[in-house]
Amino acid sequence: MTESLRLDDPAALTRHIEFRYHARHREQLPTLAALAEKVETGHFGDDNVPEGLTDLLQRMIGALEVHMKKEELILFPKIRKGGGPGIGIPIAVMRADHDDHSRDVAEIHRLTGGLSKPDGACRTWADLYAGLGEFLSDLAEHIRLENDVLFPPFETEAANV
């Protein structure tokens, strides 16, 4: 996170999330899915292969894209306008999506043995797990910023309406 980011400025925080996290996820996931496919195909039959990871990452590409578009087109514009009646509904939807993403993260950890690459893992396998580590860290911070910083003031407002 940048030093100049003000966590008490919801409009600035939404822009930060879009430019830092949404853009990054859109870069990361297709590359990771391609690496996972190479590992699963190239090491087919190896007991340590994260079988099913490619499919999971492909599903996450779609799910995250839908989630980010809902934020960019519906929720974040409302937040930039100061909230208002009904804002609690899209926030609840985003929180439910975050729960789904957390289940996907748990499945990534299960499939990869906690991102533990096997002895003698090829460069592609090492790159995959390093990239997954970065993605998971970015996703965790993205979700934390929304759940713990961005959403609560608007949920309080919605509860008081």
Side-chain angles (χ1 to χ4, degrees):
M1 187 168 355
T2 62
E3 292 290 324
S4 63
L5 178 63
R6 291 194 43 196
L7 297 178
D8 62 346
D9 181 347
L13 186 52
T14 61
R15 285 188 290 278
H16 173 74
I17 290 167
E18 285 182 19
F19 292 114
R20 169 59 179 89
Y21 296 102
H22 290 192
R24 184 78 175 120
H25 298 330
R26 287 179 173 121
E27 292 172 6
Q28 292 168 315
L29 277 170
T31 300
L32 293 170
L35 289 172
E37 185 173 27
K38 282 183 179 181
V39 168
E40 286 187 70
T41 302
H43 297 276
F44 181 78
D46 184 319
D47 290 341
N48 296 306
V49 167
E51 190 175 336
L53 182 61
T54 303
D55 290 340
L56 175 59
L57 293 173
Q58 290 291 350
R59 284 193 313 273
M60 286 185 79
I61 289 170
L64 271 170
E65 187 59 38
V66 169
H67 174 85
M68 293 183 296
K69 283 295 186 190
K70 288 187 284 189
E71 288 181 341
E72 294 163 0
L73 299 174
I74 298 166
L75 181 57
F76 288 0
K78 286 182 184 239
I79 286 174
R80 290 177 187 140
K81 291 177 182 172
I87 196 162
I89 295 168
I91 289 174
V93 170
M94 295 302 102
R95 283 190 180 276
D97 287 355
H98 291 168
D99 291 344
D100 291 341
H101 302 326
S102 294
R103 283 188 283 280
D104 290 339
V105 167
E107 182 64 2
I108 289 170
H109 282 290
R110 186 189 73 74
L111 291 171
T112 64
L115 300 179
S116 298
K117 63 182 194 271
D119 292 335
C122 68
R123 173 77 183 231
T124 302
W125 205 326
D127 289 348
L128 171 62
Y129 283 18
L132 282 170
E134 289 176 26
F135 166 69
L136 296 176
S137 177
D138 285 343
L139 184 61
E141 181 60 8
H142 172 187
I143 291 172
R144 185 198 72 78
L145 282 172
E146 290 180 359
N147 283 354
D148 299 345
V149 180
L150 184 62
F151 296 164
F154 293 96
E155 289 169 318
T156 300
E157 170 193 316
N160 293 328
V161 173

